[in-house]
Amino acid sequence: LVSNVLIFSCTNIVGVCTHYPAEVSQRQAFQETRECIQARLHSQRENQQQERLLLSVLPRHVAMEMKADINAKQEDMMFHKIYIQKHDN
């Protein structure tokens, strides 16, 4: 009877010692993943707001041309093209 109680208690102690650290690491991984997803969603929201602001100021074809030029990443150019176009209303 004493040996059964000893084996049972040792098994529970080992189980507790392995379960809780694993639980803590899983919770931490979940929190980090959640924070990463929230940051990505926040940056996507900001990009959409910037796009709407840009399109509220410039016509769509000019804005797309400007974005394509900026995304080209020409290292030797300090300034990008100047976008001056005549618009007939």
Side-chain angles (χ1 to χ4, degrees):
L1 181 66
V2 173
S3 66
N4 283 340
V5 169
L6 185 62
I7 290 174
F8 179 72
S9 61
C10 288
T11 304
N12 282 330
I13 290 172
V14 169
V16 166
C17 290
T18 58
H19 175 72
Y20 285 115
E23 182 72 23
V24 168
S25 66
Q26 286 176 352
R27 285 177 187 260
Q28 184 179 6
F30 174 77
Q31 288 291 86
E32 290 173 357
T33 304
R34 182 176 179 213
E35 290 172 2
C36 179
I37 291 172
Q38 284 178 340
R40 190 179 76 190
L41 290 175
H42 181 71
S43 67
Q44 285 177 350
R45 219 175 295 121
E46 284 184 353
N47 286 341
Q48 289 173 352
Q49 287 177 347
Q50 288 175 357
E51 178 112 8
R52 277 184 285 161
L53 179 63
L54 182 66
L55 291 176
S56 71
V57 175
L58 294 174
R60 185 169 189 78
H61 68 281
V62 175
M64 293 303 125
E65 182 182 340
M66 186 177 79
K67 281 178 59 177
D69 181 48
I70 290 173
N71 288 338
K73 298 245 185 190
Q74 296 175 350
E75 299 296 328
D76 58 342
M77 288 181 57
M78 186 171 185
F79 299 103
H80 296 282
K81 294 181 197 173
I82 297 177
Y83 294 91
I84 300 175
Q85 296 182 2
K86 184 177 179 183
H87 177 70
D88 291 328
N89 202 359

